[in-house]
Amino acid sequence: MRKFIKHNFRLFVIASSAIFVLMIVWTVFGTRHTIVQPIEYNHKIHVEEADLICIDCHLSVETMSSAMIPNIEICQECHSDEPFTDSPEEIKLLKYIEEEEHIPWQKIYSVPDHVYFSHRRHVSIGDLECSNCHGNVEELESPAPYPSWEPTMDNCIDCHKQYKVTFDCLSCHR
Amino acid sequence: MPKKIQYENELDAPLFRPIYETGKGFYITVGILMLIILWALIMYITQIWFGLGVTGMNQTITWGFYIINFVFFIGISHAGTLISAILRLSRAEWRRPITRMAEVITAIVLAIGGLHPILDLGRPDRVLNIFTSGRLQSPLLWDVTSITAYFTASTVYLYLPMIPDIAKLRDKGGKLTWFYSFLSWGWQGTEHQKKVLNRAISILMIMVIPIAISVHTVISYIFSMTLQPGWHSTIFGPYFVVGAIFSGIAVLLILMIVSRKVFHLEDYLKKIHFQYLSTLLLIMALLWFYFTFSEFLTGIFGSEPHEMEIIHYKFTGPYALFFWGMLLLNFIIPVIILSIKRFKTITGILIASIAVVIGMWLERLNIVVPSLANPRMELPIGIYIPSLVEWSLFLGGIAVFILGFVLFSKFFPLISIWEIEEGREEGIKEVEERVHSYLPGKETGSK
Amino acid sequence: MPKWAMVIDLDKCTGCGDCIAACKLENNIAIVSPEEANDGRVMFWMDMITIYEGEYPNIRVKRFPKPCFHCDNPPCTKVCPVNATYKNEEGLIGQIYHRCIGCRYCMVACPYTAKVFNWLEPEWPDEFKNCFNPDVSLRMMGVVEKCSFCAHRLLKVKEDADSDEREILDNEYLPACSESCPANAIDFGDLENKESRVYNLSRSSRAYREMEDLGTEPKVIYLQKRE
Amino acid sequence: MEIKRREFLKLLGGVSGAVAIGTYGCNQVIDVPERLIELAKKGLGIETWKNTICGQCPAGCGIKVRLVDDIPVYIKGNPLYPVNQGGMCPSGHSALEVLFNPDRIKEPLKRIGIPGSNKWEPLSWEEALQKIADFLIKQRRNNKSHQVAFLDGSEQNSLMSEHIAQFMKAYGSPNYYQYPSVKNDSVPYLLLQGTQQIPSYDFLNTKYVLSFGSNFLEEGYSPIYYTKLYTHLKELTEKKRTRFVQIDSRMSLTAINADRWIPIRPGTYGALALGVAYILIREELYDNEFVSKHTFGFEDWVDNEGYTHLGFKSNVIGNYYPEQVSKITGVPGETILEIARELGNNKPSLVLGDQGSADNTNGTYSQMAIHSLNALLGNFGKEGGLYFTDQPPLAELPRVQEDELAVKGNSQPPIGCTYNTSFKIMDFSINSFTKNILSDNPYPVSVLFLYKGNPLFNALNHHDLAEALKKIPLVISFDSFLTETSEYADIILPDHTFLEKWDEYSNIPSVGFNHVGIQQPVIEPLFDTRNSANILIELGDKIGGTVSGSLPFENFEKEIKFRVEKIYRSGEGAIISEGLKGDWLEYLQQRGWQVGRYNSFDEFWKLITKHGGWWNPIKKEKGIKNIFKTSSGKFEFYSQLLKEWTDELVLMKGNDSHQNRELVLSELNINARGDQVYLPHYEAVPVDEHMPLYLTTYKLLTNRNGQSSNQPMMQEMFGYTSHQSWNTWAEIHPATAKDYGISNEDYIWVESSTGSIKLKAIVNPVVMPNVVAIPFGLGHTSFGRYAKGHGVNPNSVMKNLYDSLNGNPALQATKITISLAT
């Protein structure tokens, strides 16, 4: 082995460096970067303890194209003054509420502006479950770091194929 | 300083000379051409950066120089392969010094022409959509396929007959031996190899002809498949093919004359070659005029209003000068020169061919622009003035072509040596036999 | 399956040009610089054609708005090498800006010169970026665009119809031009639906289509009294 | 005259169709929980619609603004608003480009450079207002309140105008003027029938409309209203259809849509009208009964001194026989015969006159001649004739309290027009206004307020006007943009754009029913601007005393409410609402259009702001007697008012002598003498040696009065008819072009005795030979990045000619010559 290395050392160097570079590239691009939310929102508790359902907070999910990410105006309907739990996250929330500043939620599901996606169409007309695209959020103890389902055109088309609904470009593109 | 390579004592020394002796002229030409190409490149980058707005096109006249030149270059490409194939097929002995040059032209020009549609794209970054989501119905897609086919065919057709010569160069040794030996595929000139080569060539030359025809027919389809007056005509296929061969021969003649002067090939490219080729040119000129004439005659006779609008515009409109210029350069000048013995000198032929090349370019312009300048809707008639970018890209194209040719002449013999030799050794005998076999009387020696 | 069509009554149309403005506003159509405009690169999805007939002083000026005709047998879609423009089953000719490679073949093929090209990157001052119509995506440099019969409105109207399980009403889905035409000259609706205004108008004796001889079968039908 | 239900439905046809449209896009919001809409506005794309009134031009159309997340993104016509019934004109659509215009003035500015040098520094509101208030108070204390002038460029019947008038009166200055002034336009009607109101025309029932240069589809008071009427007529069956004949020297938009276009030499409309009158009288085609009953001065008559006076009839018969007329007008005699007969035989038939015929030195007389045709046809108070709308039951502003300072100030002569050379009837003449300022006659002007408008761009005497503005110590502009004019202001108090402010419009001239539109903010003010009305109130308070007492309102909104409350009380008419359908009308008819379905004013207010307006299409029955407010109580062919006032002028000169009369008449440059002066007659327009061609200008729908020039969309669309963007062009008849060796799209010099401009020529047989038609609107030297330096302003080559009777500029009177520009 050593003999081999000694004999064609150059090749060895090249090969090893190549492998090294590959590893770097892998680590940088391979892992999809995660999104950190300002508040470690816990869906599970809200669904199970406070037995809320999605539409209680995502108000417009059945009526409009965007489902709406709830913000303090909606949170404060329950979280008014003293915290229910002793979780630091709730303290954060209350802080936001009393300072009346909006929670800078990070959007993780988004489509480009030349695509028309309507929750109303999919949820109230198409009778899809939220989980079809968003995974079972009820089980999440902390906000999803990345979309459970990438809203790319291919994925859309696959699903549309599966449900035998329109492929017409104009039905999504505008 | 590597040792001088011996070729002077060769029989075909003049054919080796340009390869082994590099004069100042070579470097100057290459330098100038490089500069032009660089400039064109810069221009293209600006176009990509700012968008097609830098050209002179507008909402009504949406096709300009790029498409014109596309058609023009592809047209020229018909010079080579087609001609050489036909000549080979007809066993014309005088073909031997010509074929190589012809094929070179094809290969280079086709590469340039094929790229022109990409210059014309608003979003070259998406060009691959053609493959990911192509639509077979679109003539543009037919083009892509047929041009690529033609390109591969003609390059192979150029390459195969070169192998024996490359082998010769390899045997001469020198710095580039590795390069030649790589290209020569271990050619030793054995009987078997010769047999294989000849069969390959003869298969290719039969294949190439229909492809060549198809290419230009398809290009004409780009126009004739639309409903535009002046384009929507069945004659366009053959019309374009004829035009293509026409311009092709002209370019071939120009190059032959030039390289004859530059590389002192008077001994190989004799007057007779030019005589024959220019006769072919004359025939094409007449053929071209016939097509043009019938094209316009049908238009005028039918006198469909929009059709007439276009024709009237061509005759009298802002581009009228170009139209009449086209007729002059494409028909009158070449016919006068080539049909009168006294004018049919080398220089005369040169003038005629140059005239034809320019004329054919004007013809493309006359096909593309006027139809677009007169939309069927009563919109204000647009006028198209090419911008600096378009001009420089046109020049760049030509520069690339010349550069390609010069470089080729630097590395490979412009005239197929082994075919010449073959001519000396077997050709004469073979022809003699052939002639005998045509004549009445007993069979002589024909196996 | 509906088949959307437009009827333009030239006897009513005064040629006020409102449709052009409405269209430009609704569809975020770029406004090119004066120099560009001078080079004939203005972008109107809805254009106004003027024809002068007769001798002075008895001139008849015929002025008619010209959108994309959304032909039933469109010459443009056939030639598109990448399917960026196509005809959907409701008869709308779609233009997918993000697939278009900008070869402009469709523009050349269209006998009505209904399409326009983004010669340069469309630009607006930041202030105007506020009032973009969020329903219509912006185009980028080097793509072809054209009248879409305001298809983005159809998406919403369809949603409304589906959510209360009914057909789309006549006059519910209207493009911007027909909606705000002061002369009510532009009618829009479903050619398949026997009750729709458009269906009945398209059968009137005054109905004609531009260049019917080309066989493109435009779905924009003009009404004009023959003298 | 009760409006018939049939026509009324016809009128509403547009609406009932459009109601469905009106709801487009609203559904999406409907089933969204109300709570949500307050909760989260941003990012959701919540769509709401607000109704208001368009301020792009004086036409006052109702518009519906589409807001997404409270940001206006689209504008369309309000389908319920009776004036435009969902219709719009191009410039209306570009209103958003006014609101979001990058060149808006964002805060009060103080000029630091010399006038016209565009150098400014910001100023705080308090500072600015205090400065102005102090100045005004000082003026007042020194009995110089009358030296404060106010120029109101909004040609609208808006509350704002009354508001300003109120302020000025209370402050004590007679110098509140509208420019351009609607009052001026109505002078002919005043002279002939004593009422200063623009008539409305009952197109729906008339058989034949003869329009003397009235470009009502393009330049009229409310083009879209007329477009609607025009369309309803087109819907009628062939035999019932009204026939339009347009007489104009250029084929305007109206002419294109007319059934026939008759080209005529500019400035000779009056002659043609009288020529038509000649035929009507000769062939007994006129309404004899009406003429004998309700007109004065038709036949020759004897006054109480025993003098015999020339009557209209003998005047016409004597001077306006077809050959003569066709020599003047260039209209062939047989054409005159034809139109006159058609007019007489297709009663009820209407005669209109405006722009083309009015904008000339002889405008008033031409209009009188044209209007007297209506009298011959007896078109008053009858179906298919012309009528005058009632006033909406709005509350009058509280009576102005004048302290002695105010009284003294108001008693001063107004400087908008000088009495010893012009009539009382003249409301305002920018010409004399400028002259007076420059000559301090009768007194200097020390403060000038400018509200809307752009006189320096529009006026023909802009050089003098600029000088005048320089001369005035304190010029205050309420403009939201830096225009040519406001560049001369010392202080600019930026106003809201009309999408951010409150105002109220009532009875747009010549619209056929009385209506009130509420203009309300659709978006919070983008910048630190203020509603000029509120500024006036504030200034009033700062001045205090009776001035603040006369504007006893907290802010303008309250004032509007106060006005509208009276409508609620009166119970007349109805708020425009989706209920206005056929069946509902029946009910209204029975109840005499009384709509008592609002429980409280608050509800009424809520509804009227929601829908954007109120209207009452039912006209009160009023006899022909009440139409004519003249001394004779009749329609006066022989205008006694005019006589009266000329005599007054003569007396001003001293005694009633022949040479004084001559003097007065020449000052008024009236060529006619004797009784003709008081009768409709043809006044020759000034001729100009070596200037063979006529220059006529017109305004396009895309840019009225050049106030849309700072909107890129309108600039691009400016010449959509001839595919000209961002620049001005000149239309020339092929024959004329040939004479001057000009071919299409050439650049030419248009030269008059005052200057020359270079522009593109469009050779086209849509103008008559020897006439060059240029659209007005472009050629700004200021007014923001989009307006500046594009196209040319035809007014810059116009001679400073005016109609001396009503003071209107003579836009058609300049003679020019053209040459090929190399």
Side-chain angles (χ1 to χ4, degrees), chain C:
Chain C
M1 190 52 74
K3 188 167 159 197
W4 302 111
M6 183 182 280
V7 173
I8 303 179
D9 188 336
L10 298 181
D11 295 332
K12 285 196 209 166
C13 173
T14 63
C16 67
D18 174 54
C19 39
I20 305 174
C23 176
K24 276 196 92 93
L25 182 64
E26 171 75 9
N27 292 301
N28 308 332
I29 302 173
I31 291 161
V32 299
S33 69
E35 299 73 34
E36 287 289 293
N38 205 15
D39 299 352
R41 292 175 183 173
V42 184
M43 290 209 250
F44 289 147
W45 284 10
M46 176 69 102
D47 203 345
M48 188 71 71
I49 307 290
T50 317
I51 306 172
Y52 303 93
E53 292 156 350
E55 283 299 311
Y56 176 87
N58 306 320
I59 302 172
R60 297 305 302 169
V61 176
K62 183 185 175 189
R63 221 176 246 178
F64 60 95
K66 176 181 71 66
C68 167
F69 287 177
H70 291 261
C71 311
D72 254 2
N73 174 19
C76 57
T77 59
K78 288 182 203 152
V79 300
C80 178
V82 294
N83 270 316
T85 179
Y86 78 106
K87 178 178 161 213
N88 77 357
E89 61 270 17
E90 299 189 11
L92 298 175
I93 308 299
Q95 187 83 32
I96 307 306
Y97 315 118
H98 280 254
R99 182 180 279 179
C100 176
I101 60 173
C103 65
R104 308 192 297 297
Y105 198 175
C106 52
M107 298 175 74
V108 171
C110 175
Y112 308 102
T113 49
K115 302 201 173 195
V116 289
F117 184 70
N118 289 277
W119 294 99
L120 297 173
E121 188 69 46
E123 280 166 355
W124 291 266
D126 298 347
E127 288 83 352
F128 288 155
K129 292 197 174 110
N130 296 325
C131 55
F132 281 148
N133 179 358
D135 301 344
V136 181
S137 67
L138 299 178
R139 275 74 61 187
M140 67 294 291
M141 167 184 83
V143 298
V144 175
E145 61 184 70
K146 69 164 191 65
C147 158
S148 62
F149 273 174
C150 289
H152 56 279
R153 290 188 173 194
L154 178 59
L155 292 179
K156 297 196 166 179
V157 172
K158 259 199 200 132
E159 242 175 64
D160 297 340
D162 294 353
S163 65
D164 35 22
E165 285 127 359
R166 57 174 171 79
E167 288 301 302
I168 297 171
L169 309 170
D170 197 17
N171 273 352
E172 190 179 5
Y173 160 41
L174 290 176
C177 50
S178 101
E179 178 185 63
S180 63
C181 173
N184 302 346
I186 306 180
D187 275 296
F188 189 86
D190 178 5
L191 265 185
E192 300 292 301
N193 171 2
K194 300 273 181 295
E195 280 71 46
S196 69
R197 284 172 60 82
V198 168
Y199 176 85
N200 299 319
L201 287 171
S202 68
R203 261 149 194 68
S204 93
S205 59
R206 300 182 296 143
Y208 77 96
R209 301 163 193 233
E210 269 300 318
M211 302 178 205
E212 279 165 89
D213 52 332
L214 295 182
T216 53
E217 296 167 34
K219 281 202 290 300
V220 172
I221 297 145
Y222 291 102
L223 302 180
Q224 193 177 35
K225 213 172 277 92
R226 314 282 204 291
E227 272 83 15

Side-chain angles (χ1 to χ4, degrees), chain A residues 94-124:
Chain A
L94 292 171
K95 192 152 157 303
Y96 275 115
I97 288 174
E98 80 192 57
E99 287 165 6
E100 286 184 347
E101 90 181 69
H102 276 215
I103 311 166
W105 295 119
Q106 302 292 319
K107 219 159 180 264
I108 62 173
Y109 294 90
S110 59
V111 291
D113 77 328
H114 62 279
V115 176
Y116 173 73
F117 176 83
S118 162
H119 278 92
R120 184 190 185 194
R121 164 69 66 190
H122 287 82
V123 176
S124 61

Side-chain angles (χ1 to χ4, degrees), chain A:
Chain A
M1 182 61 192
R2 183 187 283 101
K3 195 136 161 291
F4 171 81
I5 294 173
K6 199 185 280 127
H7 272 245
N8 31 28
F9 177 74
R10 187 180 294 153
L11 184 118
F12 174 76
V13 170
I14 293 169
S16 50
S17 51
I19 291 163
F20 180 71
V21 170
L22 269 179
M23 282 159 70
I24 300 287
V25 171
W26 189 271
T27 42
V28 172
F29 298 100
T31 60
R32 45 142 85 100
H33 69 297
T34 60
I35 296 170
V36 183
Q37 299 289 5
I39 295 180
E40 277 286 301
Y41 181 79
N42 184 336
H43 278 93
K44 198 162 195 288
I45 286 186
H46 286 82
V47 173
E48 286 172 1
E49 318 279 301
D51 56 27
L52 297 167
I53 58 170
C54 308
I55 189 161
D56 290 338
C57 302
H58 300 284
L59 282 166
S60 61
V61 72
E62 285 180 335
T63 50
M64 290 173 60
S65 58
S66 87
M68 168 182 187
I69 300 171
N71 214 317
I72 53 173
E73 294 89 350
I74 290 170
C75 301
Q76 70 194 2
E77 302 212 326
C78 309
H79 300 268
S80 49
D81 32 26
E82 79 285 343
F84 298 108
T85 67
D86 50 8
S87 102
E89 300 307 316
E90 189 176 1
I91 309 300
K92 270 197 227 159
L93 169 67
L94 292 171
K95 192 152 157 303
Y96 275 115
I97 288 174
E98 80 192 57
E99 287 165 6
E100 286 184 347
E101 90 181 69
H102 276 215
I103 311 166
W105 295 119
Q106 302 292 319
K107 219 159 180 264
I108 62 173
Y109 294 90
S110 59
V111 291
D113 77 328
H114 62 279
V115 176
Y116 173 73
F117 176 83
S118 162
H119 278 92
R120 184 190 185 194
R121 164 69 66 190
H122 287 82
V123 176
S124 61
I125 300 170
D127 298 330
L128 286 181
E129 289 306 320
C130 304
S131 54
N132 286 34
C133 306
H134 298 282
N136 59 346
V137 182
E138 298 91 336
E139 296 308 314
L140 288 180
E141 309 238 328
S142 64
Y146 44 75
S148 74
W149 174 87
E150 287 284 352
T152 64
M153 180 158 156
D154 299 342
N155 295 349
C156 294
I157 293 289
D158 292 344
C159 191
H160 274 231
K161 279 214 184 81
Q162 180 190 335
Y163 284 89
K164 305 220 169 16
V165 284
T166 173
F167 307 124
D168 185 3
C169 310
L170 285 181
S171 62
C172 301
H173 288 291
R174 54 191 191 182

Side-chain angles (χ1 to χ4, degrees), chain D residues 543-589:
Chain D
I543 296 164
T546 53
V547 182
S548 62
S550 307
L551 293 170
F553 302 102
E554 195 179 318
N555 58 30
F556 201 45
E557 183 185 352
K558 291 269 192 311
E559 191 172 335
I560 294 166
K561 260 187 154 164
F562 163 81
R563 297 245 305 171
V564 171
E565 190 154 11
K566 178 117 175 287
I567 300 181
Y568 165 67
R569 294 245 179 63
S570 74
E572 291 176 27
I575 287 173
I576 55 164
S577 65
E578 317 217 350
L580 275 182
K581 294 271 178 58
D583 49 358
W584 210 83
L585 264 166
E586 295 280 3
Y587 164 77
L588 287 176
Q589 287 297 315

Side-chain angles (χ1 to χ4, degrees), chain D residues 122-157:
Chain D
L123 192 67
S124 82
W125 275 104
E126 288 58 39
E127 199 182 337
L129 291 182
Q130 200 49 54
K131 194 152 176 271
I132 296 163
D134 295 347
F135 200 96
L136 289 179
I137 293 165
K138 196 161 104 278
Q139 284 290 320
R140 210 152 183 273
R141 211 179 287 110
N142 314 348
N143 285 329
K144 287 189 186 154
S145 59
H146 56 281
Q147 299 187 2
V148 178
F150 203 121
L151 215 53
D152 170 7
S154 69
E155 327 154 40
Q156 283 151 326
N157 301 24

Side-chain angles (χ1 to χ4, degrees), chain D residues 500-520:
Chain D
E500 301 163 308
K501 72 194 279 189
W502 283 97
D503 204 339
E504 166 250 287
Y505 296 96
S506 57
N507 281 21
I508 304 302
S510 87
V511 172
F513 42 78
N514 68 19
H515 60 279
V516 174
I518 303 292
Q519 185 176 77
Q520 53 184 329

